Each structure stands twice: as structure tokens, then as C-alpha cells.
Amino acid sequence: MSQSLRLPGPLRAALRPLRGMPRCRLTGEPQRIAQEGAWAVPLKLRAQEATEFIPLESSWFLLVDFEYPLGQVRLYPASKSGITRTFPHQDLNRPQKDAKWRTGKLCLDSPVGRLGAVAAGPEPIGNPDGRVSWHMRRALAWLDAASAGKLLKDGDPFELPACPSAKAPGRVAHDESLGEFACWQNCDVDVGLVALVANHPQGSRAMWAASFRTFKGAVIRESWSGSTFASTGLGLWWRWPEPIVVPPWQMPVTWRGLGVAAQRQGLDYFGTMRRLLSRARRHDSQLLLIGFPIPKVYGQDSVEMHWQALTLPDTSIEAKPPRGFRKNNTGRSARLKRRLNSKKPVPYVSTKNWHPDRLQARGRYPASLRESRVAIIGVGALGSAVADLLARGGVKKLLFVDHDTLVAGNLVRHQLTFDDVGHKKVSAVAKRCRSVSPNCEVRVHDKRLPNRRDRLEDLLDEYEVVIDCTASDEVIHALSNGWWSIPRLFVSASVGYRARRVFLFVHHGNCFPKDSFAQQMEPLLREERREWAKDGELLEGAGCWSPLFPAQLDNIWLAAVSTAKAVKNGCESRPADRSLMVYEVADDGGFTGIRRLEEHEI
Amino acid sequence: MELPTDFRTFLQEIRPTANQREDLQTGHKTLRRRLAKYEDLKDVIYTDFLQGSYRRATAVRPKGDARSDVDIIVVTKLDETEFTPREAMALFEPFLEKHYEGKWRKQGRSFGILMNYVELDLVLTSAPSESEEGILNSDAVRCDDSLEEARDWRLHPSWVSLEDRATRHDARVKLAEAKEEPEWKTEPLRIPDREANIWEDTHPLEQIRWTRDKNAVTDGHFVNVVKAVKWWRLENYDEPIHPKGFPLERLIGEVCPDDLNSVADGVTRTLEEIVTQYAVTVQNGGKPELPDYGVPDHDVFARISADDFADFYDQVKEGAQLARRALDSTDRTESGNLWREMFGGKFPKPPDGGGSKKDGFSSPDEPASPGRGRFA
């Protein structure tokens, strides 16, 4: 029931320009839709010409949030007389109950060139006169492009066809990319088995596609082989030659739609599904991954495989056949055909491409660091923070060396949590690093660094970067006595009193130069000890006699960041000017920054 | 006391300077490049490599401003039966004149090329047998890394020089091969005798190899013992000049015990061993007979006179006693001063406080703090 309320000023300002806009016609009063938090404005848009999926005049609803000119502005096809198909740059366009519009919201604020040429410049949020008309001008441009079939043009970044949202629980992750595409190009089968693994029972309920194989067992490609994932069984995969679409640009919603899409690509839908389901019964599989190659840019060659998981229909022998079907092969086959031809929705499972390039795209370290094997000796306050930075930054192979067990008092400045108290620091930090980067292979050595030279050399032999975060002279001695054939980057990182200063000693060579280290550090450490002596001891509480080293987490993080940056620079090029770098936090009477001390100050 | 940190400082002070090292490397590389391009020689030369005390990590810097000697061998393809050493050397003179005018000289069996801080001492060889060609052109032979720098040096065609390890992707694999497979068995090379009349045997690669093995078994102390003893002689005695250089090194190698704890221990016991082992020899007016590594019928001590050896022996007696006192002293200051008496001003001065504190990182002149001063 429409409400004849007085429209708010901004909304009236918004609608005014529409009255004069060609090909745009308001068809009724805006209605206040409380559950959307928006006004729904019915209107009709006129295309340049009618096409298969676009009528000459189509109905739409423009939803304008109550906070207009702030909030959202959205355009949906009307349930009656609106477009019913899904196009590129549009959400999946389905009918819905309790609303006069469908779900296919137009993506008008994308930076796609076509629409930008019409209504150039960023969306004028906060401008009541201009904002809605900005959207409508873009909507008309969208409509024109849609009817001319030009929403996806050569040169545009490729957009996947809209997929119905997954109702089934859980998700499937894979890591396809350009690097792996050659495996698919060289493969001449289109169906097979995929080994699925899971992170751990309490994990993100993600199943990871670890290995794609043919039915004969030949491996096409593998991933995450270094991880500690446990197998959760086998799934199936079916590779299609082209993107699986219901025109213009949507993945099939129903089994029947899937069949139609298969037919359009010349595939034997029933035959293949029957084969896959029989295999599924044999291996007790429930998942099918359907996939197709996609380009990066529309019109260019494909560069990677895209997968979409779905749950297979249950065709077990025990399942009661519906009336009219026999409980035998013929009956089962007929039942299957009916199912695959039905309008029941395909139970898609959320599928993600979690290739490290994608996961880390927002900010990872350069390849020279990521590809290095890094050993961190000491995963206490400083070491655990450095480990976190490196693991998240994409370093693939790590080693942690530490004999210590986590106590609750460490947490004030450590990356671990209460769940880890009582556990060995190396194991807990390793677990944490693996949980933030599935790509990351972590080994642990839960004892002190070996003193015996041959054992020490073996332990660290393959690591191109060795970071000492122990502040221990014993470790310095050990790293000096060893000698490694392949020269590597050594970084010794420690903080001074109250972690006001961080001391970074960087050396590229076959072993650590302890004499040079001692000579350069000693005057600085003398000063630190003087400072410490002034304030006296810090004890945990009654009954504990051994003094604590005071240092707050914020300074520890600054020190960890400085360490990580030194490691990064060391990997990019040999350390140039000098081996000892000292950074000081300027914190007296307000934080003014962190600076590197000049040579004469050291 | 053994004072390992002080000895480390001392050894840094007596090894060839950074300038000398630079000079040697640039000088050698330039020489190699020029020889390869010189029309009349490029087909006469097979390869060249650094030998001698620089390579064996037993070189000490010369006293004062003297240049350091760097021994380089140039392996030629000249047939021994066709060329006498003098004739072979004559072939090189135009090259030297062209590239090193005013800076080269002929000295018996070798050429000297003067650089800023070093003098390159060039010795030619006659053609080696064909079977040697594979190894002579390898990194293991041609690199300039000393035994202390390249601790994993092995005489194997797969061995990779230090400078190439950063860039070669197969370095790890190649080094593993060099480590696991047996070393190449080489034959002696033939160089001019002292008067450049005839060709005689020498085996620099075997000398390097022997030194490496002795150094490994003494936990890296042997080459430092050699340097320290050489310095002790240079510092304290102008006469007799001999034994010095390789003969002295060879003598030390003969007597130095394997189970060394430190350089201090090695110097003391080596000198004591010389005293013990050659007491009778000296008494009888004789001198040691020490076969060269790889050339057993060469006596390294052939040209050293018994008189010189007798004088040297007396010096060793004194040195052994002084070293023993320095080693056995349990007082930091006293021990440090005694070692300084032995080795001169390049040995660090001990702190005045003395006492029997083992040397370490801390010093006594500050207020007590709860810890060392650093944390992670």
C-alpha cells in the first residue's frame, strides 16, 4: 500500500532531473520500503532497440536509501515487465518473493570504460541533485550496451558469469593460475578425480583441491604439497571447453539449465554425468568441480582454469526410488535423467581461488624474499613478530629454532594466545604461520641451536637467510664457528633497554663475523646496561628472583618491522653501506617517529 | 692463558692487508686477461693460477712498507724437449715489456711484476700431460680463494669458486658432487730450476691440499700457527734469514701436533717439538731433511745450511720457553704481556687490572645491571 508521505527534499531534488531525462519515465510515486531502508521509485527505461532479452521498454525499480544523498543508490529490474536474464555487470537476476523487483542489481559504479565514458568522473556521493542522475545516465548506457551485446568487449577485464549463491555449507579452495595452466593445456582428458584435503577439523571448513588426476591415476597437477593438510577424500572434476553460461551471462541455476549449457558446447551431459556419478559411488565422493578456462582480458587467450564446485545428486542404490521407477539400473538411469533435467536448483558450493598470488595480492614481499628459505632462531617477542610478518608476506619456507615454552607472562608482548600457554613456542608459532598462509611450509627445531658444528651446519644448510632473534651471545658464537658453503644473509636482531633501540647487524657471507659484531655492539650495549642499572631490576612478582627485561609490544613491533625491512633489503641486494644499523624510537613526551642513527652516533 | 680473542685480533693485524688482497686479485685478473688476448702467447698458455702462501692462507704481511710477494704459476703448452726454461721465459719478455714496462724484472727462474702493494711472482711451467687438462682449467685450481676463505675447497672439477656461488644456480649441486666424489689425482708440474737451466718438479696443488688437511685436523689452527711463528721470527730476529717462507712452513707442518686447542697452544707446542725432535740433529751438526709434498725426492731444506739451522734452533729454544710461560700464566695481564714480548706490538695490550678472568665480552668498569643489555 503506497504511503502518501511528503518526500524528503534530497529525494525530490534527485528525481527532478529524471523527469526531463530522455528515455527515462517515472511511472509512479516513490514508496517507502522500511525493510530496505530505502525509497523504491518505479520507472521505465527505453532501449535503443528491442533485442532477444531486452524489451523496448523495460520496468525498473530505483532504490534510494533514506540517508540520500548518502547511503546506497541501487537499480533493479522490476518483477513485472523487467528484464529476466542476467547480463555482465549485473548481479544474478532472479525473481524474489515479497518484493516487486528481481535480484539483478546493475553494477553501475564499476570503472568499466564504457559506462565511464557516458557519466565520467567518480560517483558524486553527497550531491543530491547529481547522484541519482549519475546512476540513471549510467543505467541507460548499460542498457544500450546490453542490447548491442557490447557489455563485454574485447579489451575489458574478463568478468566471470554470475553464479547462484551457494546454499550448501563449506567451501572449496583451489589455486589455479597462469603458471599452472600449461598442465591443463597438455592434458587430453576432460574428467577425473581430485584429491581433497582439509586444514584442520576446526578450520574454515574449507576443502582444498590438492591434486587433480585422471581416472587412471596420472597426476595432472598438484598443490599445497608441503602443507600439513589431512586428506578428506576424493571429488570429481569435469572440464568444459568454454565458460558455462546461460545467455547472456549467468551460470545455470537449475540442472536443466546446466544441461542446456552443456548442449550448447556440444557436450554429452547425461552420458558424462552418469559416468561421473558411477565413479562418485565407487569413491564415495560428493563433490564435483566443473571448470572452464578463462582469459584475463576478454577476447584474448585463456590464461587459467576456473572451477565451481557443486554437490552431486545422491544416486545411491539404497535411496528409495520414486514411484513408478524400478529399483534397478534402468530405473536408476531413468530417475537420474529426470533429476538432471529438472528445474531443481544446482547445489553449488562456494568455491574460491586461493592461489598465493591472489591471496597476497594486497601486499606481499618481493619474490627475492618470498622465494628464500628463512631460518628464525628464537621465536620470542621479537622473533614471533618477525615470523608473522614474513609468513603473511608470503615467505614459503621457514624454520623456527627455540627450546622455550610459552608462559602466560609472555603474552603481553608475544604473537601467541592463551591457548598456546604451556606449549613449545616453535610449534605454536608454526601453527599460527601455517594458519595465515596455506602456502607456508614451516619446520621446527624445538631445542637450542646445536653447538656441535656439523649438526649446526646441517640444520641451517639449506636456509639462504638466517635471522637471529635470541639476543644470545652463545648463538653468535655458534653462527661464527659454523661455515656454510653457499653464502647467505645473516641478520642478528635484538632490542636494547625498553626496546627503545633495535640493533640490526647484517652480513652476507659464509659465516657470522662475531668479532666485528662484538666490537661494534659493545659500546652500545654498555650504554644500554647503564640505562638499565639506573632503573634497577624488574621482577614478575613475589617468589621470582630472576629479573625481567622491560619492553612494550609497540616498540617490539617497531623493532620487528625494522628487522623485516632489513631482511627484505638484504634479499633484494647485498647490504651496502655498513653492517650495523641502529634504529631508535623517539618517544619522550609523545611519539615522533623512529629513526636510524647516523654513523657518528653509534 | 690462551687468550683466543687477542690472538684473533693479532692474526688480523699480521695477515696481508686489504690493499694487498685487492691488489693481488685485480693484478691477477688483469694479467690473466692480458695473457689471453696477447697474440703471440694466447696459444702458448694453457692456464694460470695462484699458488704459494697466499693460497694456503699462511701469508703474513711484510714488515714496513715492503710489497707482499704473490706467487702465480703460468701453465704453458711448451714441450719440455723443445724449449729450455730460459727459452720459454724469453717468449714472455715482449709481453711483459708491452704491458708492464718499467715494472717487471727477471729474477732467476721467475718474473716479478711490481704493483702498488704486491709483487706478482710469475713462474712458467712446461706442458703438462693431457690427463691434467681437465682439472687445471677448473675453478678449484684457478680461483684466488685462500684456504681460510674457501673452507670447503676440494681439488675436483665440480668445485665452484666463492665468487661464483651467489650467481650459479647449480652451485649447491656441484659443491655436493665435489664433496662426495674423490679428488682428482694430479701430477707435479715442471718449472725452471733456480738458474733456469732445466725443468724440475713442483707440486703446488699438493702443497695446498696437504695444508688444507692439516688445517682441518687441527680445527683450523694450523695456518694460524704458521703465521704466528713466521711473525715471531720476523719480529725478533733479522738473522739468519733462513729458514723462512715455505721451508719454515714445511718444518712447522712436520712437528705441529694435531690435537690443538688454540693458536697459543699450537705455537707453544710446535716450538717445543722442534726443540725436542731436532736436538740430536743439531748436536750432530746436521739439519732436517723434509721431502716436499707431492715431490718426495725434493728436500725442502736442501739449500739451508746446517749453521743457519743451528742458529735458528737456538732461537726456537728461547721462543719455546717464552711461549710456555705465556701459555701457562694464569694472570691476564702477565700472560698478555708475555705474548706481546713474543709477538711484538701487533699483539693487543692486556688490560691493567689483570686477574684470572677469562676474556669475554664484558668489562668491569660500569654499574651492575640486571642483564647484558639486549633482548629479543
Side-chain angles (χ1 to χ4, degrees), chain A residues 381-382 413 461-462 469 471-473 476-477 483 485 494-496 514-515 518 522 526 528-529 532-533 537 549 574, chain B residues 5 8 149-152 162 165-166 171-172 175 219 361-363 366-376:
Chain A
L382 183 60
R413 55 197 186 192
D461 184 50
E462 60 172 295
C469 295
S472 150
D473 288 342
I476 298 287
H477 277 279
W483 195 87
S485 290
S494 52
V495 298
K514 73 176 167 197
D515 289 328
E522 192 45 30
R526 237 194 308 258
E528 295 296 328
R529 290 196 291 269
W532 199 355
E537 284 186 338
F549 193 103
R574 301 273 178 93
Chain B
T5 313
R8 271 203 305 279
E149 290 160 344
R151 296 191 206 174
D152 58 357
L162 286 184
R165 281 179 205 191
R172 196 176 271 277
L175 287 166
D219 220 16
F361 285 83
S362 55
S363 63
E366 39 177 278
S369 84
R372 292 262 314 118
R374 63 191 191 108
F375 170 75

Side-chain angles (χ1 to χ4, degrees), chain A residues 250-316:
Chain A
Q250 167 207 312
M251 280 198 75
V253 174
T254 63
W255 289 108
R256 177 181 289 194
L258 192 61
V260 169
Q263 202 173 35
R264 285 179 69 236
Q265 295 191 32
L267 300 173
D268 174 10
Y269 180 55
F270 294 120
T272 314
M273 285 300 286
R274 197 175 11 236
R275 190 172 163 215
L276 289 170
L277 285 161
S278 123
R279 278 280 178 167
R281 278 193 299 276
R282 198 194 306 182
H283 298 290
D284 198 23
S285 314
Q286 281 135 21
L287 268 184
L288 168 66
L289 271 58
I290 49 177
F292 46 89
I294 56 173
K296 200 158 179 165
V297 170
Y298 199 75
Q300 286 182 7
D301 287 340
S302 297
V303 295
E304 91 182 27
M305 281 299 287
H306 171 75
W307 295 105
Q308 176 60 52
L310 54 95
T311 313
L312 287 164
D314 182 5
T315 56
S316 54

Side-chain angles (χ1 to χ4, degrees), chain A residues 375-378 399 401 449-453 456-457 459-461 463 465-484 488-493 505 507 509-515 517, chain B residues 151 374:
Chain A
I376 302 181
I377 309 174
L399 167 71
V401 178
L449 197 64
N451 265 320
R452 248 182 66 171
R453 202 162 80 187
L456 170 68
E457 285 170 2
L459 179 67
L460 298 180
D461 184 50
Y463 294 93
V465 179
V466 176
I467 310 176
D468 161 34
C469 295
T470 60
S472 150
D473 288 342
E474 251 190 84
V475 167
I476 298 287
H477 277 279
L479 293 177
S480 286
N481 288 339
W483 195 87
W484 288 269
R488 58 210 49 213
L489 178 69
F490 290 93
V491 177
S492 178
F505 192 96
H507 174 77
N510 303 82
C511 68
F512 192 80
K514 73 176 167 197
D515 289 328
F517 177 84
Chain B
R151 296 191 206 174
R374 63 191 191 108

Side-chain angles (χ1 to χ4, degrees), chain A residues 267-415:
Chain A
L267 300 173
D268 174 10
Y269 180 55
F270 294 120
T272 314
M273 285 300 286
R274 197 175 11 236
R275 190 172 163 215
L276 289 170
L277 285 161
S278 123
R279 278 280 178 167
R281 278 193 299 276
R282 198 194 306 182
H283 298 290
D284 198 23
S285 314
Q286 281 135 21
L287 268 184
L288 168 66
L289 271 58
I290 49 177
F292 46 89
I294 56 173
K296 200 158 179 165
V297 170
Y298 199 75
Q300 286 182 7
D301 287 340
S302 297
V303 295
E304 91 182 27
M305 281 299 287
H306 171 75
W307 295 105
Q308 176 60 52
L310 54 95
T311 313
L312 287 164
D314 182 5
T315 56
S316 54
I317 304 168
E318 293 77 40
K320 188 166 178 286
R323 273 164 20 122
F325 290 101
R326 291 165 209 230
K327 199 175 177 176
N328 61 13
N329 269 348
T330 322
R332 195 167 42 240
S333 178
R335 177 167 173 258
L336 176 65
K337 247 195 167 148
R338 203 168 89 148
R339 171 74 143 274
L340 293 178
N341 206 27
S342 73
K343 287 195 171 171
K344 282 202 149 68
V346 176
Y348 288 113
V349 174
S350 170
T351 314
K352 299 279 178 203
N353 184 338
W354 278 353
H355 188 278
D357 287 352
R358 288 177 182 246
L359 290 185
Q360 298 164 3
R362 288 161 183 76
R364 62 180 180 177
Y365 282 124
S368 59
L369 171 50
R370 273 185 288 121
E371 300 294 326
S372 295
R373 291 178 279 260
V374 180
I376 302 181
I377 309 174
V379 286
L382 183 60
S384 65
V386 172
D388 214 314
L389 281 165
L390 295 184
R392 284 182 201 268
V395 175
K396 295 204 277 212
K397 285 190 161 61
L398 290 164
L399 167 71
F400 301 146
V401 178
D402 199 322
H403 63 285
D404 219 1
T405 300
L406 186 75
V407 302
N410 292 141
L411 294 176
V412 73
R413 55 197 186 192
H414 205 283
Q415 300 298 109

